Amino acid sequence: MTAREHTALVGHGGVHIVEGAGATRRHALHLVKLVVPVDGPLEIDAEGGRPLGVRAPVLTGAGVAHSIGSPGATVAIFLPPDGLGAGAQAAARGRVLALEGAQAERVRAAALDVLRGRLDHAAAHELMRACARAFAPGGPRVDPRVLRAMRRLAEQAPARPALGPLAAAEGLSRSRLSHLFQGAFGHPLRDYVTFLRVMTAVRALEDGTTPARAALEGGFHDQAHLARAVAATLGRTPGSVARSHFVQATATPRAMLVP
């Protein structure tokens, strides 16, 4: 039976609930991801580490390549590493981390509260905030020039961004901006650009745009190029993402069926 999925996006973060078994291919996302198992263990395979089977909530840092699956329902919380998820990113930078003790219980309780109610924009935001509070503010302060450049990139959502002029507007060279970005987040600036392009294309697919046109809107050469980028970033296919309404400007309130 196909798993049912419910998604709410809040800014560049959000909440994704899977009812039933689900799994992703190996991928690396420019977001901090916290996955809470509802029933059954999580099966995680992270690059450079041994496969894990755990029943605890698991945190993956932004840009960490991994695959994840579960025989039962899961709640995934996505936090921007430059804002709400800064503390979580500092805790998991470059690795996959299974939470323990009070921290794990706090995160699990917050996820179950959403499952017992309705998933809408407000509930998703509160869950994100609750999960962020489970982690101490962390890491060195990100250079404000990098944050401003990121915001402009996200606002423009360009298919093929001109990073040189963007860096120059902050008094930086392109290479210096890239260096500062990687120092702050642990993975290349080009990965963030790919993330934005993928999300542009997926939003177009969700709006009913043909795959060929969506690929062009995201700045990809063709549908095959788009499919590879979506798999590398989200661990899924463009079709499955669009069908599950993975991208929504505002979530539709709906009751969860998971107990």
Side-chain angles (χ1 to χ4, degrees):
M1 183 177 69
T2 302
R4 285 196 283 188
E5 304 178 41
H6 314 264
T7 304
L9 288 193
V10 180
H12 285 119
V15 174
H16 182 214
I17 296 172
V18 178
E19 297 183 67
T24 64
R25 304 175 187 178
R26 184 179 294 275
H27 64 288
L29 179 65
H30 181 77
L31 290 170
V32 183
K33 182 166 68 173
L34 182 59
V35 183
V36 182
V38 177
D39 43 40
L42 295 176
E43 299 161 359
I44 306 125
D45 187 1
E47 192 171 23
R50 292 183 300 174
L52 297 174
V54 298
R55 292 182 177 273
V58 167
L59 182 70
T60 62
V64 176
H66 68 286
S67 60
I68 192 164
S70 175
T74 58
V75 181
I77 299 95
F78 301 94
L79 302 173
D82 55 318
L84 197 60
Q89 168 69 359
R93 179 187 169 99
R95 62 178 177 156
V96 173
L97 178 67
L99 303 186
E100 299 177 341
Q103 189 178 53
E105 291 309 312
R106 184 174 184 177
V107 166
R108 188 186 300 277
L112 291 177
D113 279 346
V114 171
L115 288 174
R116 295 186 186 107
R118 298 170 72 86
L119 180 66
D120 58 18
H121 191 272
H125 193 207
E126 181 50 40
L127 175 55
M128 291 167 62
R129 285 161 53 94
C131 289
R133 288 194 295 268
F135 301 91
R141 182 169 175 263
V142 179
D143 191 310
R145 296 173 296 181
V146 173
L147 295 179
R148 286 195 296 267
M150 288 175 68
R151 281 195 293 269
R152 281 203 299 276
L153 272 172
E155 289 166 359
Q156 297 167 4
R160 294 184 176 84
L163 294 179
L166 192 74
E170 296 297 337
L172 300 168
S173 66
R174 175 173 174 165
S175 61
R176 181 59 178 162
L177 175 61
S178 297
H179 177 77
L180 290 172
F181 182 96
Q182 180 143 0
F185 300 112
H187 62 95
L189 176 59
R190 65 176 178 272
D191 291 352
Y192 179 62
V193 173
T194 299
F195 165 70
L196 294 176
R197 292 170 59 200
V198 164
M199 297 311 285
T200 296
V202 170
R203 286 188 175 95
L205 285 169
E206 227 278 314
D207 288 338
T209 303
T210 64
R213 181 62 188 171
L216 290 175
E217 289 190 21
F220 299 100
H221 300 307
D222 50 31
Q223 290 176 234
H225 187 197
L226 171 61
R228 290 193 299 271
V230 172
T233 304
L234 302 178
R236 304 172 67 180
T237 65
S240 71
V241 170
R243 286 193 301 273
S244 70
H245 302 287
F246 189 85
V247 175
Q248 298 177 167
T250 302
T252 303
R254 65 186 81 185
M256 296 295 98
L257 301 182
V258 178

